[in-house]
Amino acid sequence: MRRLLFACLALSLAACSAPAPKDTPTRRVTPPVAEALPPMKTFPVPEVTPPSRSNAAIARDFLDLSFQLESGRRLPVLTRFEGPVSVRVTGNVPGSVGPDLARLLSRLRREAGISITQVSANADASITIEVLPRSELQKYVPQAACFVVPRLSSWAEFKRDRRTAAVDWTTLKTRERMAIFLPGDVSPQEARDCLHEELAQALGPLNDLYRLGDSVFNDDNFHTVLTGFDMLILRTYYHPSLRSGMTREQVAARLPRILAQLNPRGQSIPDRQVGRTPRAWIDAIEEALGPRTSDSRRQAAARRAVAIAREQGWSDNRMAFSLFALGRLALAGQADIALASFLQAGTLYNARPETRLQGAHVAMQLAAFALSSGQTDAAIGLVDDNLGVVARAENAALLSTLLMIKAEALEVQGRVVQARAVRRDSLGWARYGFGSTDAVRTRLSEIAALSSRVKATGPI
């Protein structure tokens, strides 16, 4: 289930320019462009990076992902589809969903070795993807952007059976029917992200692990399309030597041989033990990023997460994520704490190749700080250093935001023609990342607000 932890990216950007209190009448900064937006940009063939961990570590990840739910409940046996998998899409389907689904199914066949095809909306299917309004979806599952349930094929069935054993994953013995529910009134990127995560869970693991820095099976939501690690996990899930009904011990006994066959490079990588994630830290992170509590309680929870991470002696992405969460929450009124937190998080993320994408998210925050304080060369450098990793991760929203920041910095420097070209490039990605024209122009306004004071005085 994709949580709405990072749906408020605009809030953090706006906070850098010290916005007025909510009830204060303000005038929105005029967007720097008023002409029609360029066509939507989409990503080419994906660049997939294989996992950089040992096969021993991947085996532990596989077991923890496959035999436990996000809630912590244990799953007694492995379950999967036994035989070819068919997928249908119903409801009011946005135009971007068809191409994105076709691209994803092609990757699943090619990279995960799964026999999966799309059928017509009226056909019987193993997996039904039903598109509905976000308000309807969240009326029943308020904190979900999208989700998957077993044994069902429609929203009507879900409303009827949602409180029954029919949707209890722990009672499954094999997978025959699954339903994925995703919103249609969101940006193309958000719909695509839901397709990737929920289809992966419909086919394979149901758990998320915060310790994973290179996976969509992580509630930090940095990765939004299936990674090389994720495809290896799914390929392992559907290996001929595994089957539905096997226990954790039976699967564990077969994993070394399976992974040696599928990922020979992982045999020579030294094993690096990673400690378990305490429930207290997970609870603190969920409270810090949850929607139903006060700002002061969220920030206190983020500080608690940082303290727990330090007690655990972590220097991995969990420590960095704790700092990132604290930085996000401190933006509105404690810029010094936010900046220090982001700098520490960025150092940790950038120390490892598998968390460079997370480092790019931090770089966006730091570039916003640099732009708002007139350090335009620093802002441009931060953007340029991270464009490649963001493009490879296919995050159009982040890519467009970085380019908008660069365009503003160039404009402050008086490089108007260059700024216009970069901004136009950003808008094509924004069409995919943010969706509607209004949403794109809102983001432009927020980025323009960062440099509004600097434009009057000039860069540092």
Side-chain angles (χ1 to χ4, degrees), residues 268-282:
S268 59
I269 297 175
D271 190 19
R272 186 177 65 196
Q273 293 280 346
V274 177
R276 295 280 179 176
T277 306
R279 188 70 228 182
W281 182 86
I282 295 173

Side-chain angles (χ1 to χ4, degrees), residues 19 53-54 73 161 214 218-219 234 246 272 276 280 291 295 308 342 364 386 424:
R53 294 191 297 289
S54 69
R73 295 176 68 198
D161 297 338
D214 56 353
N218 186 330
D219 264 339
L234 289 170
M246 295 181 70
R272 186 177 65 196
R276 295 280 179 176
D295 290 345
I308 294 170
F342 287 138
M364 184 274 289
N386 288 277
R424 187 163 182 81

Side-chain angles (χ1 to χ4, degrees), residues 134-307:
R134 176 159 51 184
S135 60
E136 173 70 6
L137 187 150
Q138 293 186 344
K139 187 188 303 180
Y140 293 88
V141 188
Q143 296 187 45
C146 43
F147 61 97
V148 58
V149 292
R151 298 190 177 102
L152 306 182
S153 295
S154 72
W155 183 246
E157 289 179 339
F158 171 74
K159 290 193 292 184
R160 184 192 67 204
D161 297 338
R162 69 186 187 279
R163 302 185 192 281
T164 72
V167 295
D168 185 350
W169 290 96
T170 66
T171 63
L172 278 186
K173 302 301 180 186
T174 189
R175 302 191 193 186
E176 297 174 343
R177 285 198 306 158
M178 295 281 159
I180 293 170
F181 303 114
L182 60 87
D185 49 352
V186 296
S187 71
Q189 178 167 319
E190 187 171 343
R192 179 210 63 188
D193 297 351
C194 280
L195 282 175
H196 276 249
E197 180 165 343
E198 304 310 329
L199 192 52
Q201 292 194 317
L203 292 165
L206 298 164
N207 196 13
D208 284 328
L209 298 173
Y210 279 106
R211 70 173 184 255
L212 301 178
D214 56 353
S215 174
V216 302
F217 297 113
N218 186 330
D219 264 339
D220 65 13
N221 287 354
F222 282 117
H223 283 280
T224 56
V225 299
L226 293 173
T227 66
F229 170 85
D230 299 328
M231 288 297 185
L232 176 59
I233 291 294
L234 289 170
R235 183 175 281 274
T236 303
Y237 220 86
Y238 283 84
H239 193 272
S241 65
L242 300 182
R243 65 181 184 278
S244 293
M246 295 181 70
T247 65
R248 183 184 178 108
E249 290 72 24
Q250 289 172 323
V251 171
R254 288 165 172 76
L255 283 179
R257 181 174 295 180
I258 294 171
L259 290 171
Q261 174 193 341
L262 299 181
N263 187 44
R265 70 190 299 274
Q267 294 294 97
S268 59
I269 297 175
D271 190 19
R272 186 177 65 196
Q273 293 280 346
V274 177
R276 295 280 179 176
T277 306
R279 188 70 228 182
W281 182 86
I282 295 173
D283 291 343
I285 284 291
E286 290 183 349
E287 183 177 358
L289 300 173
R292 296 184 176 181
T293 188
S294 66
D295 290 345
S296 60
R297 289 191 62 181
R298 276 196 289 267
Q299 191 169 141
R303 292 179 185 277
R304 192 162 66 250
V306 171

Side-chain angles (χ1 to χ4, degrees), residues 15 18-19 299 328-338:
Q299 191 169 141
R328 286 282 305 276
L329 292 164
L331 272 170
Q334 297 173 294
D336 54 338
I337 293 175

Side-chain angles (χ1 to χ4, degrees), residues 376-378 380-381 384 406-423 459:
T376 52
D377 283 338
I380 292 168
D384 288 344
K406 181 176 180 178
E408 284 296 315
L410 290 167
E411 194 166 276
V412 170
Q413 293 181 348
R415 299 155 70 183
V416 178
V417 174
Q418 206 174 340
R420 187 178 298 120
V422 172
R423 185 175 292 116

